């Protein structure tokens, strides 16, 4: 957090340093150019994201549509990994047995995240292999340990309780996977894989399966079916059983939508703020509104990246805990009755 | 406004993509398996070990504290006992010394008394012997002197006078 505070004024200064000369020199010319170009529809090149590379010659009636297209282009998955203005890489299209499993932008991001995760944690894991309980971890291992310990203790142990160790690898992986996806989405030219509903859906399905398997293991088939009746009178089962079954599916659905919507919304807000200046064709708006607000939202996104990774992991742990906790409760009640 | 409307209407935001689901699943499972092996195992083990180590250190510290307290108590008891013992020994020693002193003084006094008595006896004896010796000596001297006097003064007149006085004495005594 402290580092963020240090960077913010610096970033603003840099942006102002770039924009002030442009404002002073080009503004009049730009307005003149835009006035001319409103008559002559030209320039179909895709508008760049950065305001410094703005092409003020975009035509007025198509400006909004263009902004929407660019935003959608940025948010959505596609086959092209664009490095504007340096060009782009077209990713291969693979179709196996009628299924389109082509490598898209988000798949590449997932792989980048995986590579990063594996690199970071092979280093950290290697450090821990040589670590005796007598000496403390340092550097990267220390930083990761804080997060790991947080997930282990505050997320897994406090929500799942007994037998939380079994689910720890899944929770830790999901946390760091989502976290790294979110953070890489904030890097220039990066794309947010977790802003794609398919990715979040897949992760939620994993949580769903983990939860269901944990429930089956904890209760057995009979206990699991009993759990579906929610302990009500048999005459209410016709209502309760469908509700409970729907409840099983709402949880992962909520996880899916929460993560996807949060990550997408943040990016749409940032892009929209940037595009305000293009739509209004004003450097003043760019300096006064777009850039400061975009930076603010960007910092907010940095926080949201951590928050959403935490929320996903936390809710996964909570669902697992809910699915397994009843057994222990019943057991203790039965034990108390026996005694 | 229009922008957001277009985004919503685009629809492709929520469109399913089996390929991406497939790749996500594959990637996630592989990452999960590899990380479980290379990272979570060692890290969690290390954390657990450290936790156990800390717990055992705390336990050991508590145990050590209890032990040291017990030892301290025992030491205090021992010290108190030793104090009492030393007091007793000193007291006994004092008493013994007192008794010994008294005994020795008494004995030495008796001894002195005895010695004085024996010395007196001896002195008496010596005195008596000396007196006896002196008496013998004096008697010898007197006899010898008398012998000499008698030898030098014995003549007829004197003898006659002496006999006369004796006879006179005798006669006055008879009367």
């Amino acid at each position: 957090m402290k580092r963020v505070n240090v960077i913010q004024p610096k970033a603003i200064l840099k942006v102002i340093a770039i924009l002030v000369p442009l404002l002073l020199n080009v503004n009049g010319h730009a307005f003149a150019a835009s006035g001319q170009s409103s008559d002559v529809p030209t320039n179909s090149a895709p508008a760049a994201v950065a305001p410094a590379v703005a092409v003020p010659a975009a035509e007025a009636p198509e400006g909004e549509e263009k902004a929407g297209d660019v935003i959608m282009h940025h948010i959505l998955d596609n086959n092209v990994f664009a490095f504007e203005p340096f060009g782009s890489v077209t990713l291969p299209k693979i179709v196996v047995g009628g299924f389109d499993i082509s490598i898209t932008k988000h798949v590449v991001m997932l792989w980048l995240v995986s590579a990063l995760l594996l690199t970071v944690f092979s280093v950290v894991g290697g450090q821990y292999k040589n670590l005796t309980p007598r000496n403390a971890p340092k550097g990267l291992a220390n930083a990761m340990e804080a997060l790991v310990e947080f997930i282990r203790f505050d997320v897994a142990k406090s929500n799942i309780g007994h037998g939380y160790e079994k689910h720890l690898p899944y929770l830790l992986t999901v946390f760091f996977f989502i976290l790294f996806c979110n953070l890489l989405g904030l890097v220039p030219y990066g794309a947010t894989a977790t802003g794609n509903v398919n990715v979040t859906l897949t992760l939620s399905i994993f949580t769903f399966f983990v939860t269901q398997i944990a429930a089956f293991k904890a209760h057995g088939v009979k206990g699991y079916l009993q759990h579906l009746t929610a302990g009500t009178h048999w005459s209410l089962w016709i209502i309760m059983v469908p509700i409970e079954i729907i409840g099983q599916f709402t949880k992962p659905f909520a996880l899916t939508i929460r993560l996807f919507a949060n990550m997408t919304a943040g990016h749409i807000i940032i892009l929209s703020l940037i595009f305000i200046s293009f739509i209004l064709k004003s450097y003043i708006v760019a300096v006064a509104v777009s850039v400061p607000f975009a930076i603010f939202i960007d910092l907010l996104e940095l926080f949201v990246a951590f928050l959403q990774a935490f929320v996903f992991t936390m809710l996964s742990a909570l669902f697992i805990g809910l699915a397994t906790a009843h057994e222990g409760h019943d057991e203790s009640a039965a034990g108390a009755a026996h005694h | 406004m229009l922008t957001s409307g277009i985004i919503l209407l685009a629809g492709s935001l929520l469109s399913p993509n089996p390929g991406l689901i497939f790749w996500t699943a594959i990637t996630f499972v592989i990452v999960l398996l590899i990380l479980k092996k290379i990272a979570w195992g060692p890290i969690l083990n290390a954390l657990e070990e450290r936790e156990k180590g800390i717990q055992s250190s705390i336990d050991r510290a508590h145990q050590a504290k209890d032990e040291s307290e017990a030892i301290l108590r025992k030491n205090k008891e021992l010290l108190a006992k030793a104090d009492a013992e030393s007091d007793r020994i000193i007291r006994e020693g004092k008493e013994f010394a007192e008794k010994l002193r008294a005994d020795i003084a008494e004995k030495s006094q008796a001894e002195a008394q005895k010695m004085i008595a024996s010395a007196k006896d001896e002195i008496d004896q010596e005195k008596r012997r000396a007196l006896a010796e002196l008496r013998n000596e004096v008697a010898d001297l007197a006899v010898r002197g008398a012998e000499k006097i008698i030898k030098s003064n014995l003549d007829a007149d004197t003898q006659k006078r002496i006999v006369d006085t004796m006879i006179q004495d005798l006669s006055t005594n008879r009367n």
Side-chain angles (χ1 to χ4, degrees):
Chain A
M1 278 295 122
K2 206 173 179 184
R3 187 170 288 176
V4 170
N5 287 336
V6 173
I7 285 170
Q8 195 176 8
K10 273 190 185 170
I12 291 173
L13 278 178
K14 270 185 191 167
V15 170
I16 289 172
I18 294 169
L19 288 175
V20 162
L22 278 171
L23 267 171
L24 291 175
N25 296 327
V26 195
N27 207 6
H29 174 69
F31 273 117
S34 65
Q36 284 172 1
S37 66
S38 59
D39 301 327
V40 189
T42 48
N43 201 351
S44 58
V49 176
V53 208
V55 183
E59 56 269 76
E62 285 177 37
E64 279 169 288
E65 239 179 23
K66 204 174 222 348
D69 283 347
V70 172
I71 290 172
M72 286 315 288
H73 176 83
H74 185 81
I75 298 297
L76 287 178
D77 201 6
N78 49 46
N79 282 329
V80 181
F81 214 100
F83 296 100
E84 291 168 23
F86 308 112
S88 60
V89 178
T90 306
L91 298 161
K93 205 169 176 67
I94 306 170
V95 179
V96 175
F99 281 107
D100 177 20
I101 54 163
S102 47
I103 313 297
T104 59
K105 193 165 71 173
H106 285 166
V107 175
V108 173
M109 288 314 291
L110 286 177
W111 288 350
L112 275 177
V113 164
S114 309
L116 200 63
L117 265 179
L118 293 181
T119 317
V120 166
F121 280 102
S122 61
V123 170
V124 172
Q127 241 174 309
Y128 270 97
K129 270 177 193 149
N130 305 323
L131 204 67
T132 60
R134 295 223 171 266
N135 45 28
K138 40 180 192 276
L140 192 60
N142 201 2
M144 288 304 148
E145 188 189 301
L147 292 173
V148 171
E149 183 64 21
F150 172 67
I151 297 295
R152 188 174 90 100
F153 198 79
D154 289 328
V155 173
K157 203 172 182 180
S158 58
N159 282 314
I160 300 176
H162 179 67
Y164 73 99
E165 295 93 345
K166 268 186 308 191
H167 303 293
L168 257 185
Y170 172 72
L171 293 174
L172 284 167
T173 313
V174 120
F175 176 76
F176 283 105
F177 197 78
I178 293 172
L179 178 64
F180 279 45
C181 275
N182 294 350
L183 289 177
L184 278 197
L186 296 172
V187 172
Y189 298 122
T192 321
T194 40
N196 190 311
V197 75
N198 295 296
V199 175
T200 58
L201 178 69
T202 316
L203 294 174
S204 310
I205 287 169
F206 277 116
T207 294
F208 175 74
F209 279 123
V210 167
T211 311
Q212 296 304 318
I213 289 167
F216 266 114
K217 270 189 183 166
H219 302 259
V221 178
K222 191 163 162 262
Y224 183 84
L225 293 176
Q226 268 178 352
H227 193 63
L228 283 183
T229 64
T232 49
H233 190 255
W234 61 268
S235 55
L236 287 172
W237 286 4
I238 198 156
I239 307 165
M240 285 314 293
V241 171
I243 288 175
E244 284 288 326
I245 289 173
I246 290 166
Q248 298 296 320
F249 290 97
T250 13
K251 287 169 185 170
F253 180 73
L255 277 182
T256 307
I257 298 301
R258 182 177 295 109
L259 182 57
F260 151 72
N262 271 293
M263 294 327 291
T264 308
H267 284 255
I268 290 177
I269 289 171
I270 293 175
L271 291 170
S272 305
L273 282 169
I274 295 292
F275 274 102
I276 285 175
S277 61
F278 290 99
I279 293 164
L280 298 178
K281 294 192 185 62
S282 160
Y283 286 117
I284 311 281
V285 171
V287 173
V289 179
S290 295
V291 172
F293 277 78
I295 288 169
F296 170 70
I297 298 291
D298 216 50
L299 295 174
L300 190 69
E301 278 299 287
L302 201 62
F303 168 67
V304 168
F306 280 92
L307 182 73
Q308 287 307 317
F310 162 66
V311 165
F312 193 99
T313 317
M314 163 85 184
L315 287 177
S316 295
L318 191 69
F319 294 156
I320 294 169
L322 281 177
T324 54
H326 274 270
E327 181 71 13
H329 193 261
D330 289 350
E331 252 178 19
S332 64
H338 274 296
H339 292 301
Chain B
M1 274 296 132
L2 205 57
T3 309
S4 55
I6 288 161
I7 290 167
L8 277 179
L9 284 176
S12 50
L13 211 56
L14 286 168
S15 65
N17 180 353
L20 190 55
I21 291 175
F22 169 77
W23 284 120
T24 312
I26 295 277
T27 311
F28 184 78
V29 167
I30 291 171
V31 168
L32 174 61
L33 291 178
I34 296 176
L35 281 186
K36 195 175 174 182
K37 191 154 168 42
I38 65 164
W40 307 142
I43 292 174
L44 293 176
N45 275 344
L47 287 179
E48 222 149 274
E49 250 172 60
R50 196 187 306 156
E51 225 162 70
K52 271 183 204 155
I54 290 168
Q55 191 56 52
S56 76
S57 297
I58 291 171
D59 288 350
R60 267 210 305 277
H62 274 293
Q63 210 179 328
K65 195 175 158 243
D66 289 349
E67 266 174 26
S68 65
E69 267 171 10
I71 288 171
L72 197 68
R73 217 174 309 126
K74 211 168 153 192
N75 274 357
K76 269 186 189 158
E77 274 170 25
L78 281 178
L79 206 63
K81 220 188 257 177
D83 262 346
E85 185 79 17
S86 69
D87 272 355
R88 194 177 62 80
I89 287 170
I90 289 169
R91 208 174 47 244
E92 274 181 10
K94 267 187 188 161
E95 277 168 13
F96 184 70
E98 196 70 28
K99 216 175 96 195
L100 204 65
R101 200 173 61 82
D103 268 8
I104 287 170
E106 208 175 307
K107 227 185 249 175
S108 63
Q109 215 160 357
E111 194 81 11
Q113 220 73 40
K114 220 160 80 186
M115 271 165 80
I116 288 167
S118 77
K120 263 183 188 162
D121 275 2
E122 213 160 320
I123 288 165
D124 274 355
Q125 236 166 17
E126 286 296 313
K127 204 169 114 189
R128 233 173 286 135
R129 213 177 52 219
L131 276 176
E133 224 165 288
L134 194 67
R135 211 174 285 143
N136 286 348
E137 202 80 18
V138 168
D140 274 356
L141 280 174
V143 169
R144 228 174 285 151
E147 203 177 62
K148 269 184 189 161
I149 291 167
I150 290 169
K151 260 181 194 165
S152 61
N153 292 341
L154 218 48
D155 50 21
D157 295 339
T158 327
Q159 280 174 357
K160 208 178 165 192
R161 215 173 30 238
I162 290 168
V163 173
D164 282 347
T165 19
M166 250 177 73
I167 289 167
Q168 258 183 324
D169 278 353
L170 282 172
S171 59
T172 54
N173 276 356
R174 226 177 263 165
N175 295 338

